[in-house]
DNA sequence: GGTTTTATTGAAACTAATTGCAGTTACAAT
DNA sequence: ATTGTAACTGCAATTAGTTTCAATAAAACC
């Protein structure tokens, strides 16, 4: 269940370091079931390791994103949320009226991804996406 | 060329008021060629009408968005940009490596919009969208 | 025109996120 | 084991955007 080994080497191979802060933040993201905000991670890690700065949390997420270990989604509620990539790709339909969130299968977006690649040579990063609109109830 | 008449009635019909601030902000958005940030609008309007508050700019954009007069796009550079709807719909491919922006025809997204409606009953608001990824040069 | 109602504004406080910098520390090389 | 150095951290300041609230002013009604 513990992946700190391969993450550690993944970091080191690129010249990054595995610090206690990073370990604890990564652990907390893996432990979280679902999408979690920087604030929430900060609060959870602070319980056990009080001397942590919120900016370190943001910078760690930046790094984890770069390494492809987490994805970032803006659900439109004013705070960005993060999600471990090991828990699978998925997307969201966010209703602008009632705020409900519908999980979306990746397959629906594949035709778009293909079209962008074919027509524009653009490799779209659709790992995590939120599409806004109106759900069936609110239409 | 002047639309303040029909905008004025559009506002009043919904119980909103046409204030000098709103007129000047809307004028500035129409005059801008392309996407413009709240800051830039604020600076431009302030030249002629110095007693304007930045929060009024944000609130006005919120309102104009609601009325469907402008759209909002996050190009990923840390500030949201606005665009008059009268200058046409379009979308963007934003390269996460070199930062270049490719204009995208609306038609490419129609199949996705249709699929979301058909499969999920979700009416996606794809008026303005930025898709991130890697352009042909940076792949 | 004058009065009233209530949407709107400006100012200031606040939140989420980012940045610059000086001091610290992981870890590779000795 | 010690050292050198570049990566990293905490702190404080900054930025984009939002919210609160008292004062103001559109526009509807007389």
């Amino acid at each position: 269940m513990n992946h700190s080994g391969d993450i550690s080497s993944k970091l080191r191979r690129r010249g990054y370091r595995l610090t206690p802060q990073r370990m604890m933040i990564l652990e907390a993201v893996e432990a979280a079931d679902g999408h979690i905000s920087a604030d929430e991670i900060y609060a959870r890690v602070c319980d056990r390791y009080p001397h942590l700065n919120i900016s370190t949390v943001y910078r760690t997420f930046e790094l984890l994103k770069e390494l492809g270990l987490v994805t970032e989604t803006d659900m439109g509620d004013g705070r960005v949320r993060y999600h471990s990539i090991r828990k699978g790709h998925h997307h969201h339909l966010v209703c602008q009226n009632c705020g409900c969130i519908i999980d979306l299968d990746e397959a629906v977006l594949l035709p778009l991804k293909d079209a962008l690649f074919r027509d524009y040579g653009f490799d779209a990063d659709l790992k995590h996406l939120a599409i806004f609109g109106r759900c069936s109830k609110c239409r």
Side-chain angles (χ1 to χ4, degrees), chain A residues 109-124 126:
Chain A
L109 293 172
L110 276 178
L112 173 64
K113 195 174 153 68
D114 290 347
L116 293 178
F117 196 84
R118 183 169 18 86
D119 300 349
Y120 296 85
F122 189 85
D123 185 20
L126 298 176

Side-chain angles (χ1 to χ4, degrees), chain A residues 77-89:
Chain A
D77 70 336
R79 54 221 276 171
V80 168
R81 292 174 172 279
Y82 300 87
H83 183 256
S84 165
I85 205 93
R86 294 203 298 102
K87 301 198 171 180
H89 287 180

Side-chain angles (χ1 to χ4, degrees), chain A residues 38-98:
Chain A
D39 255 27
E40 287 164 338
I41 286 289
Y42 176 64
R44 288 188 198 185
V45 175
C46 267
D47 278 357
R48 310 190 143 222
Y49 183 88
H51 199 61
L52 170 72
N53 198 278
I54 185 69
S55 60
T56 301
V57 177
Y58 283 112
R59 283 187 284 223
T60 300
F61 274 126
E62 194 60 34
L63 176 65
L64 295 177
K65 234 168 54 187
E66 224 172 284
L67 294 174
L69 295 170
V70 302
T71 52
E72 188 186 78
T73 313
D74 181 355
M75 303 282 217
D77 70 336
R79 54 221 276 171
V80 168
R81 292 174 172 279
Y82 300 87
H83 183 256
S84 165
I85 205 93
R86 294 203 298 102
K87 301 198 171 180
H89 287 180
H90 61 286
H91 309 271
H92 307 277
L93 302 175
V94 182
C95 178
Q96 284 171 321
N97 191 244
C98 71

